[in-house]
Amino acid sequence: MASTTSTPLGNLLRAGGRAGKPRKQILHPGSVGLLVGALAVIVGSMLPWVLTPLGNINGLAGPGQLTLCGGFIAVAGALIPRRWVAVSHSFLAGGGVAFVAGWQLLRLVQVSEATDAWGQAMPGIGLVMVLGGAVILLTTGVRLVRTPAVAPPS
């Protein structure tokens, strides 16, 4: 025999008249930007950073390990449902990754100038992806700061 009560009402009656707590939302407005930036940083950290005629230099052979850590900090900021955590993680990860990648570009220019080998060592796709990910992370942080906080539904 079929039940005459609707499913939500039947569930409410079986629970003793208590409605369940509403689920907390995991993602926030900056989650997508943080995840995209973190993905670019993580993948770029594992790709070649310097292209030379003798071979490529992988990002994980040097400071790519630091940018990989920054990428995972950004992932944590995307998945923790607090606005101030997202803002701080986006600026911390984006600023640190941008500093390390800029430092590597400056070092590449210094080595090329000292050895008079312009055009022999070029930035690789990994270094470019890491810089792009840092820009995405920093712009996500700025966007989160500029947009007003939304009150949760009551």
Side-chain angles (χ1 to χ4, degrees):
M1 179 170 191
S3 173
T4 57
T5 60
S6 64
T7 304
L9 180 60
N11 290 339
L12 184 63
L13 292 176
R14 278 191 292 277
R18 295 182 311 268
K21 291 183 180 178
R23 292 181 55 193
K24 288 191 83 169
Q25 184 177 355
I26 293 177
L27 299 179
H28 48 77
S31 289
V32 174
L34 280 168
L35 287 174
V36 169
L39 182 66
V41 169
I42 291 170
V43 171
S45 297
M46 295 185 257
L47 292 175
W49 278 29
V50 179
L51 307 174
T52 65
L54 300 176
N56 300 333
I57 300 174
N58 194 359
L60 291 179
Q65 296 171 355
L66 297 173
T67 59
L68 189 65
C69 292
F72 284 112
I73 288 173
V75 169
L79 298 180
I80 297 175
R82 298 282 183 258
R83 181 183 176 87
W84 62 272
V85 172
V87 170
S88 62
H89 280 224
S90 65
F91 285 129
L92 178 71
V97 167
F99 175 76
V100 170
W103 170 49
Q104 287 301 303
L105 279 175
L106 182 64
R107 184 71 183 131
L108 187 61
V109 169
Q110 287 176 343
V111 168
S112 294
E113 191 264 331
T115 60
D116 198 29
W118 292 102
Q120 297 298 316
M122 300 294 292
I125 187 64
L127 190 56
V128 173
M129 280 184 72
V130 165
L131 277 171
V135 168
I136 293 171
L137 291 173
L138 290 172
T139 55
T140 300
V142 169
R143 187 175 53 108
L144 280 172
V145 168
R146 288 186 177 175
T147 57
V150 177
S154 46

